[in-house]
């Protein structure tokens, strides 16, 4: 990442992972939307004027979903057997708790083919964001191939903890985690998954244990408590500001992580980057869409919010 005070050139970001067609259910509101961490993160990276390439996994019959991706983003699809149809169920009583259901059959052969990554210029990217939605998306061989060409790999690991049984998505242990995480510099995961990997309840001990597997920096989602970042044996935390009605938490952590990493690449400190990112994530949650505000607009909204908070 950059150093403070240095204005960096436009970064090259490559995102690899599944697109999904989501049914988002919040109380009595139900809407279909494009989903997947590479979609939400890609849109957020794009708002910070990076050169963004998305390599999405989807079936050819769902090719129409690509029209919802911003026109500035380069799209190099990898076609697979099927596209995930997911229902994401939320309640306004606790908008940070999600239940998921799978609405179609999931094929275990839905993997990124290494041969299809051959012309992706992986070695030229400033960051490669890998966002599997299932344990089948990214094989260890594929991640090793990516890491060999570029060490700046960020993995959003949620998909590896999912087990699909008929229409249900159940939690499972990620048995190959150590092998995968030796190929990762930046890791995104939930507090629940952190403790599943580490077998430790103490947060610092759990972060130290998982960091020892390979990741230099861990972005930890903690539900309504906010986010923590673990880097160089230090834990930094940020909490959600009061920010109006939060209507769509889908893509929250992907958005937070992309904005955080963008700020870090621009030379901002860990704490300033995550404080900024959580405001951007709240702006995203005020709509049913991915992050649509650019940096200038986010700056304006944060200033207004800080003024209102000071004058309560």
């Amino acid at each position: 990442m950059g150093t403070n005070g240095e204005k960096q050139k436009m970064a090259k970001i490559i995102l690899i992972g599944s697109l999904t067609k989501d049914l988002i259910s919040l109380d009595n509101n139900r809407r279909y939307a494009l989903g997947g961490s590479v979609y939400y993160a890609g849109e957020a990276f794009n708002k910070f004027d990076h050169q963004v390439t998305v390599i999405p996994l989807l079936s050819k019959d769902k090719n129409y979903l690509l029209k919802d991706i911003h026109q500035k983003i380069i799209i190099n699809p990898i076609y697979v057997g099927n596209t995930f149809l997911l229902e994401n169920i939320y309640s306004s009583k606790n908008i940070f708790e999600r239940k998921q259901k799978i609405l179609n059959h999931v094929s275990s052969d839905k993997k990124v083919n290494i041969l299809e990554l051959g012309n992706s210029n992986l070695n030229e990217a400033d960051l490669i964001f890998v966002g599997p939605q299932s344990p089948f998306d990214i094989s260890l061989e594929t991640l090793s191939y990516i890491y060999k060409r570029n060490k700046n790999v960020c993995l959003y690991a949620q998909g590896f903890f999912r087990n699909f049984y008929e229409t249900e998505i159940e939690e499972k242990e990620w048995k190959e985690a150590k092998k995968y995480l030796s190929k990762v510099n930046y890791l995104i995961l939930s507090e629940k998954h952190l403790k599943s990997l580490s077998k430790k309840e103490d947060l610092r001990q759990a972060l130290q244990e998982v960091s020892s597997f390979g990741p230099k920096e861990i972005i930890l989602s903690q539900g309504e408590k906010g986010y923590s970042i673990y880097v160089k044996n230090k834990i930094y935390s940020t909490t959600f500001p009061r920010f109006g009605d939060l209507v769509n938490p889908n893509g929250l952590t992907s958005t937070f992580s992309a904005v955080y990493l963008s700020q870090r690449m621009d030379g901002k400190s860990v704490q300033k980057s995550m404080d900024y990112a959580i405001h951007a994530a709240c702006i995203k949650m005020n709509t049913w869409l991915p992050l649509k505000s650019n940096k200038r607009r986010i700056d304006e909204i944060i200033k207004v919010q800080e003024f209102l908070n000071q004058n309560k």
Side-chain angles (χ1 to χ4, degrees):
M1 297 295 175
T3 57
N4 283 316
E6 293 182 1
K7 183 65 177 176
Q8 294 216 338
K9 65 181 177 60
M10 178 176 63
K12 293 182 179 180
I13 315 290
I14 296 176
L15 302 97
I16 305 168
S18 285
L19 287 184
T20 62
K21 184 175 181 181
D22 289 352
L23 173 60
I24 304 170
S25 301
L26 175 61
D27 297 333
N28 295 321
N29 293 317
R30 291 160 64 87
R31 299 194 185 194
Y32 281 99
L34 182 58
S37 59
V38 295
Y39 169 57
Y40 285 105
E43 293 289 326
F45 278 124
N46 181 57
K47 292 305 175 187
F48 288 80
D49 296 323
H50 298 305
Q51 182 181 318
V52 180
T53 299
V54 173
I55 303 176
L57 280 71
L58 77 164
S59 54
K60 285 188 176 181
D61 66 307
K62 295 295 187 295
N63 202 56
Y64 65 88
L65 294 173
L66 300 178
K67 67 180 175 56
D68 289 337
I69 296 176
H70 195 280
Q71 60 184 6
K72 281 179 60 180
I73 296 175
I74 300 166
I75 308 171
N76 295 324
I78 293 178
Y79 293 110
V80 294
N82 57 10
T83 298
F84 284 119
L85 304 179
L86 295 177
E87 183 175 10
N88 297 272
I89 305 167
Y90 300 94
S91 168
S92 56
K93 293 179 180 178
N94 186 350
I95 202 167
F96 297 101
E97 281 192 9
R98 176 177 67 177
K99 181 178 179 182
Q100 286 186 306
K101 291 187 176 182
I102 185 77
L103 303 179
N104 65 329
H105 172 72
V106 178
S107 171
S108 61
D109 65 354
K110 195 170 116 2
K111 289 187 175 72
V112 173
N113 187 326
I114 289 176
L115 295 177
E116 295 181 89
L117 292 176
N119 296 321
S120 301
N121 298 320
L122 299 175
N123 62 313
E124 297 178 7
D126 295 287
L127 182 74
I128 299 178
F129 183 104
V130 182
Q133 293 295 304
S134 82
F136 320 126
D137 294 359
I138 306 290
S139 68
L140 181 59
E141 182 185 16
T142 298
L143 191 64
S144 298
Y145 177 89
I146 295 168
Y147 188 73
K148 184 177 181 179
R149 285 152 182 79
N150 195 320
K151 298 295 188 290
N152 289 320
V153 174
C154 176
L155 176 66
Y156 190 177
Q158 62 177 343
F160 291 108
F161 294 91
R162 290 173 174 164
N163 186 47
F164 299 92
Y165 180 73
E166 295 182 352
T167 63
E168 299 300 316
I169 300 178
E170 302 171 344
E171 290 288 320
K172 76 176 188 70
E173 188 176 346
W174 185 16
K175 294 182 179 179
E176 292 187 292
K178 288 185 179 181
K179 293 179 181 178
Y180 273 85
L181 296 184
S182 67
K183 315 296 181 187
V184 170
N185 263 8
Y186 308 98
L187 174 64
I188 307 166
L189 79 170
S190 69
E191 187 171 357
K192 177 173 65 174
H193 292 155
L194 171 77
K195 291 179 178 179
S196 172
L197 285 181
S198 67
K199 311 301 182 188
K200 298 181 185 296
E201 285 300 315
D202 180 80
L203 184 64
R204 178 173 292 277
Q205 291 179 3
L207 287 164
Q208 288 173 335
E209 177 72 10
V210 173
S211 180
S212 73
F213 302 159
K216 295 179 179 178
E217 198 158 332
I218 298 174
I219 300 172
L220 188 70
S221 64
Q222 297 175 284
E224 62 187 3
K225 293 186 292 184
Y227 289 88
S228 289
I229 306 290
Y230 181 78
V231 57
K232 295 182 179 178
N233 205 32
K234 291 184 179 180
I235 301 174
Y236 302 83
S237 297
T238 191
T239 56
F240 287 99
R242 299 289 180 184
F243 223 97
D245 295 329
L246 305 180
V247 300
N248 177 22
N250 235 33
L252 175 65
T253 295
S254 301
T255 301
F256 173 88
S257 300
V259 176
Y260 168 76
L261 292 166
S262 292
Q263 292 293 287
R264 294 284 283 137
M265 285 188 284
D266 198 31
K268 304 299 189 300
S269 69
V270 172
Q271 192 65 57
K272 286 185 177 180
S273 296
M274 63 193 306
D275 289 344
Y276 188 90
I278 205 164
H279 277 85
C282 282
I283 293 168
K284 174 257 166 287
M285 279 209 296
N286 273 271
T287 76
W288 289 91
L289 301 169
L291 185 65
K292 293 298 182 183
S293 301
N294 60 20
K295 187 178 185 302
R296 181 178 176 181
R297 179 59 179 153
I298 294 169
D299 290 340
E300 291 172 352
I301 293 172
I302 290 175
K303 286 180 180 178
V304 170
Q305 187 64 35
E306 289 175 344
F307 175 80
L308 292 174
N309 289 340
Q310 290 170 2
N311 289 275
K312 280 186 177 179

